[in-house]
Amino acid sequence: MSGTITLTIDGQTVKTEPGKTILEAALDHGIYIPHLCSHENLHPAGACRLCVVGQQGVEGVVTSCTEKVQEGMVIDTHDETAEKIRKLSCDFMFKTHPAECTGCPKYGKCQLQSISQYVGDTGRKLKANTINVKADHSNPIILHEMYRCILCGRCVRACNDLRGVGAIRFGEVNGRRQVVIDGASLKDADCRFCTACVEVCPTGSIREHEELAEKLVGKTREEGFVPCRNACPAHVDVPRYIRFIKEGDYAAAAAVVREKVPFPHALGYICVHNCELECKRTELNEPIAIRNLKRYAAQQDNGAWKQKGFQKPLTGKKLAVVGAGPAGLTVAYYAAKLGHSVTVYEAMPLAGGQMRYGIPNYRLPREALDAEIQEILTQGQQDPQNQIKILYQTPVHHAPELLKQGFDAVFVAIGTHAGTKLPILGNDLDGVLVNADFLRDFEEGNAKVGKKVVVLGGGNVAVDCAGVALRLGAESVSMACLEAYGQMTASDEERNWAQEEGVKLYNSKTFHEILDDGNGHCAGVRIQGIDKFYFDQDRKVHMELAEGTEEVLEADTVIFAVGQRPTISADPDVFGLELTHGNYIQTKGPAGETSVTGVWAAGDAVTGTQSVIKAIAAAREAVQEIDRYLGGDGNIDEALAPQQYKNPYIGVAEHFGDKERVQPRVVPVPERVTNYSTCGPMDLGFDGEMAACEAARCLQCDLRCELAPQKFWSDYMPGNGSDKKPGIEEG
């Protein structure tokens, strides 16, 4: 249909499109008609009778949520009969609904409460007949308190008509009509846990469990409803690329990741996957293997996204980047695309930073890293004047000096390449190494260990040191750390792999001294169990020792893996920037502005050793601010992937709640240890079938954002509530 229909509502001339209902036309023009069973995303039902109105020339009332507009209609929303029916409808709803509002978790956000206030005092003439059914907390993610239910039917229509799942339905319970689960549990009913029912429920009869609801507080709908995307420091649109993978469009999935990060393939191997820690699928069994899906997509990348990226004209501005790690290369990449001339100063012989010199090649293949670095250096830079120039083995000793050499701005991302030793007796003996030096030597082919190795530390770097020691021929490798097994900062996956390879863990231990063999070489580490430990406000550790638990771990090689620091001097006059906590760079705000105008910094040298994805995210913030400083608009947004249709009809997936996480293919022990130099990466990731199976486990949480948010009557008023009825306060 085409054209415009004109009608009159409450004396106001309204122009609307053919096919719309009276209710839609009224709300579009700020004329509120009470409604409850009606919802923008659901087929109209006309069941609640709150939206009835008077129509000139029609006897009785009409239901505005189902009645389509017609030319010349005259509608009275305050028709006397309509008002009486509304009050009676409210009476019937409150007949079964709990009378106490203030103790309800939906208080102040309940549409029934709001409508009741709008309709006004009905006198409550009907005798209460509350639903005597217990709250059901047994299902994951979603809880049911059906004694609050008013039978509006929104949840049933959302689950059946909108989603096509049919996990809930109307049924008879003790002779009463009620919303029930179509099975013994939501899992048994093949619920997809999309929470559409939660979103449309007007009274809180169906909602998230309390701990999940608390995570939504203070967040936007997108932040709260899609926790994986919000947890990613770079806010990569995780559900979008997983949906592309499920559809078999792997190149599009890779393009989605590239919209936020220039290292999708490398991250597919080594990302700490904060996203998985927040994945709501964890409430069912295990989180989606997001990192492995990202890697599979990156491996199928066909480069189609290159034609969609931006490349701005040359600005004539020059930027110096200090450090060619993930943060430095990210800034260089976007700065060049913004039209600035970029020179990168790198102290090492090759680019990559800790991705190359801090992560062993059996975990991150150098072919994948080198390809992405090359992509950064060449993408979108056909003009020779706009090539990113890298000066290798060229350390910068005083960052602000670069401003005097003709650069308009400087970005510092020097990382944390200096390992630290604990101040314990024997830390200077022969055979005592530090993580950063040890892993760098391994990358350059110079690392050596003895037969018995002890690694001090419990993080991923410590696990890498232990794994490298085994691959260098150590007969025994032990790891000792302060943390209990469940509190180790190393990921479960890497820790489990290390144990498979034969690394022995000593948890909840402190290190008293490194023993001397009498010839100035280490012979072992004296450790002792601790009952508990904590850090005070100055980050000083305090611990309670367990008596009678001292022991010695024999070792001819001891590797400290207890932290890393920047390599610059702790004297701020030497590097030229204000420092903090010794020799970390002090910055102001998320963009990384330093104490010197025109100089920015980000990454591990600012935050301490964290992760590649956090360094990339911080670099994105910094380059936007640098571009604004240089006269640009700071916009680095790119739409590299095609538009995606988010089909709300997700359908039935049998045994969906019990589908187990797909585990990656891993080179078995001992081959991955003894033949690491020839077998390539130990983690082989997914093939196409595995990726499709894992992508199908996704709850598609982002579909909830496509549902219209619940509105209250004041939301439709002119001035957003300024013309409320006298004496009525919004609930």
Side-chain angles (χ1 to χ4, degrees):
M1 286 186 277
S2 60
T4 302
I5 286 181
T6 302
L7 66 156
T8 302
I9 305 178
D10 291 347
Q12 180 179 333
T13 299
V14 169
K15 294 183 182 298
T16 190
E17 302 168 7
K20 286 209 169 189
T21 64
I22 297 171
L23 178 62
E24 290 172 331
L27 297 179
D28 288 346
H29 288 77
I31 303 171
Y32 180 66
I33 301 174
H35 57 284
L36 208 152
C37 68
S38 177
H39 189 279
E40 291 178 44
N41 302 101
L42 305 176
H43 294 302
C48 72
R49 304 294 289 165
L50 288 170
C51 72
V52 293
V53 295
Q55 179 181 347
Q56 190 178 84
V58 176
E59 187 176 353
V61 296
V62 297
T63 307
S64 66
C65 74
T66 59
E67 191 73 21
K68 296 290 181 19
V69 294
Q70 298 177 28
E71 183 64 35
M73 266 185 170
V74 178
I75 301 298
D76 180 7
T77 68
H78 300 293
D79 176 85
E80 183 178 352
T81 303
E83 294 277 21
K84 288 181 179 179
I85 292 174
R86 285 191 196 114
K87 290 181 184 291
L88 185 61
S89 293
C90 271
D91 270 346
F92 275 113
M93 291 177 194
F94 277 102
K95 178 181 178 181
T96 60
H97 193 72
E100 177 59 41
C101 282
T102 54
C104 175
K106 196 80 171 179
Y107 180 69
K109 298 169 288 186
C110 173
Q111 286 185 304
L112 177 61
Q113 180 189 25
S114 175
I115 287 170
S116 173
Q117 292 171 342
Y118 181 89
V119 171
D121 184 17
T122 68
R124 301 289 186 265
K125 298 182 179 65
L126 300 178
K127 183 179 179 180
N129 187 14
T130 55
I131 299 172
N132 187 21
V133 58
K134 292 183 179 180
D136 183 0
H137 295 260
S138 64
N139 292 293
I141 298 178
I142 300 170
L143 68 83
H144 296 79
E145 292 184 341
M146 302 318 297
Y147 57 85
R148 303 182 192 277
C149 180
I150 56 175
L151 297 177
C152 68
R154 280 188 183 180
C155 58
V156 174
R157 282 179 286 149
C159 187
N160 288 263
D161 304 336
L162 183 67
R163 293 287 187 254
V165 176
I168 54 177
R169 58 177 174 82
F170 282 118
E172 294 291 325
V173 179
N174 298 324
R176 300 180 67 160
R177 184 173 168 83
Q178 188 176 318
V179 174
V180 297
I181 297 171
D182 194 25
S185 67
L186 285 177
K187 279 189 176 183
D188 182 63
D190 291 329
C191 175
R192 301 291 296 271
F193 297 95
C194 68
T195 63
C197 57
V198 174
E199 183 61 18
V200 301
C201 178
T203 65
S205 305
I206 302 178
R207 63 183 194 275
E208 290 105 340
H209 285 288
E210 184 176 347
E211 60 272 18
L212 293 177
E214 288 177 354
K215 293 182 179 181
L216 304 178
V217 177
K219 297 177 181 176
T220 66
R221 282 163 55 85
E222 289 72 19
E223 290 170 345
F225 293 167
V226 194
C228 56
R229 183 170 62 202
N230 187 54
C232 174
H235 301 304
V236 175
D237 196 342
V238 175
R240 188 177 175 213
Y241 77 72
I242 288 180
R243 189 175 291 109
F244 274 132
I245 291 172
K246 187 171 65 173
E247 295 168 355
D249 194 344
Y250 306 118
V256 171
V257 183
R258 278 200 171 271
E259 289 178 348
K260 296 295 185 182
V261 297
F263 291 100
H265 199 179
L267 287 169
Y269 281 98
I270 51 87
C271 187
V272 294
H273 48 70
N274 305 69
C275 50
E276 294 185 22
L277 300 178
E278 295 297 324
C279 176
K280 285 174 69 175
R281 178 85 204 194
T282 306
E283 302 294 325
L284 305 184
N285 44 24
E286 293 182 281
I288 304 299
I290 298 172
R291 184 184 66 197
N292 287 331
L293 288 173
K294 179 191 301 156
R295 189 201 322 176
Y296 184 77
Q299 289 169 339
Q300 317 307 313
D301 187 359
N302 62 9
W305 56 271
K306 297 179 185 180
Q307 307 304 316
K308 298 181 179 181
F310 73 85
Q311 179 60 59
K312 297 186 179 180
L314 294 179
T315 64
K317 301 294 185 178
K318 297 197 299 181
L319 171 68
V321 174
V322 184
L329 289 175
T330 297
V331 165
Y333 175 66
Y334 286 112
K337 288 167 70 66
L338 290 164
H340 309 310
S341 176
V342 181
T343 301
V344 181
Y345 292 81
E346 171 54 50
M348 302 300 292
L350 295 171
Q354 291 288 24
M355 289 191 293
R356 183 181 302 278
Y357 294 103
I359 299 174
N361 54 18
Y362 60 84
R363 285 223 299 118
L364 174 57
R366 296 309 183 242
E367 302 80 28
L369 177 61
D370 290 339
E372 292 191 321
I373 292 174
Q374 186 61 27
E375 193 69 64
I376 288 172
L377 299 182
T378 60
Q379 164 63 19
Q381 300 159 42
Q382 278 68 35
D383 191 325
Q385 298 181 55
N386 199 32
Q387 293 286 327
I388 296 175
K389 181 180 180 181
I390 299 187
L391 303 178
Y392 293 108
Q393 295 181 294
T394 308
V396 171
H397 301 291
H398 192 279
E401 279 294 324
L402 293 169
L403 295 173
K404 299 177 182 179
Q405 296 175 18
F407 288 100
D408 299 289
V410 177
F411 175 72
V412 179
I414 55 175
T416 50
H417 291 271
T420 59
K421 291 182 177 181
L422 294 175
I424 61 176
L425 187 65
N427 69 0
D428 57 348
L429 292 170
D430 289 342
V432 177
L433 312 175
V434 291
N435 49 7
D437 296 342
F438 178 63
L439 293 174
R440 183 166 57 248
D441 286 345
F442 180 69
E443 170 65 19
E444 296 176 337
N446 301 321
K448 296 179 181 179
V449 293
K451 293 182 179 181
K452 297 181 179 181
V453 178
V454 172
V455 179
L456 305 180
N460 286 332
V461 175
V463 172
D464 284 340
C465 289
V468 166
L470 284 172
R471 285 159 177 79
L472 290 174
E475 295 177 359
S476 70
V477 177
S478 302
M479 282 178 57
C481 63
L482 290 175
E483 298 86 1
Y485 188 85
Q487 280 70 53
M488 293 177 68
T489 57
S491 70
D492 292 345
E493 184 177 57
E494 293 187 43
R495 181 180 58 195
N496 292 340
W497 285 341
Q499 289 182 279
E500 286 176 4
E501 294 169 4
V503 175
K504 187 173 181 180
L505 300 184
Y506 290 83
N507 294 101
S508 302
K509 304 294 183 182
T510 187
F511 332 121
H512 287 308
E513 67 173 317
I514 299 174
L515 304 178
D516 191 334
D517 69 352
N519 296 308
H521 197 281
C522 65
V525 182
R526 186 165 60 87
I527 64 175
Q528 184 174 359
I530 55 176
D531 287 329
K532 66 178 180 180
F533 75 95
Y534 63 92
F535 292 94
D536 62 22
Q537 60 185 8
D538 297 321
R539 297 299 297 165
K540 184 178 179 180
V541 66
H542 297 264
M543 62 185 72
E544 296 180 8
L545 301 180
E547 296 297 329
T549 60
E550 286 195 36
E551 60 182 311
V552 172
L553 302 180
E554 294 184 11
D556 49 18
T557 302
V558 177
I559 305 171
F560 278 101
V562 293
Q564 295 170 222
R565 303 185 66 82
T567 55
I568 58 176
S569 169
D571 183 349
D573 293 333
V574 174
F575 196 66
L577 300 176
E578 183 178 341
L579 305 175
T580 183
H581 296 91
N583 64 341
Y584 290 97
I585 300 172
Q586 179 72 58
T587 60
K588 312 167 192 175
E593 183 181 1
T594 70
S595 58
V596 176
T597 300
V599 180
W600 284 260
D604 291 353
V606 172
T607 62
T609 306
Q610 293 193 344
S611 65
V612 171
I613 188 63
K614 285 189 176 182
I616 291 171
R620 283 177 56 88
E621 292 277 355
V623 75
Q624 293 176 75
E625 187 60 32
I626 291 170
D627 183 54
R628 284 188 281 267
Y629 175 79
L630 296 177
D633 60 10
N635 184 9
I636 60 172
D637 293 339
E638 294 186 286
L640 304 179
Q643 292 293 315
Q644 183 181 73
Y645 171 59
K646 299 178 182 179
N647 189 351
Y649 196 89
I650 57 180
V652 177
E654 292 186 0
H655 310 299
F656 176 79
D658 293 316
K659 290 183 183 295
E660 296 184 354
R661 177 181 168 113
V662 177
Q663 299 301 324
R665 300 164 298 164
V666 181
V667 177
V669 179
E671 182 183 356
R672 70 180 188 235
V673 175
T674 57
N675 298 326
Y676 76 91
S677 60
T678 58
C679 71
M682 58 170 285
D683 177 7
L684 304 177
F686 290 162
D687 59 23
E689 182 179 354
M690 297 167 73
C693 288
E694 185 62 14
R697 296 178 66 243
C698 180
L699 304 187
Q700 301 187 70
C701 298
D702 60 332
L703 288 179
R704 185 171 172 183
C705 296
E706 304 298 306
L707 296 173
Q710 294 190 16
K711 294 182 179 179
F712 305 99
W713 63 266
S714 63
D715 294 323
Y716 297 99
M717 292 293 182
N720 194 29
S722 60
D723 298 326
K724 292 179 183 179
K725 286 186 176 183
I728 297 179
E729 295 182 0
E730 182 63 39

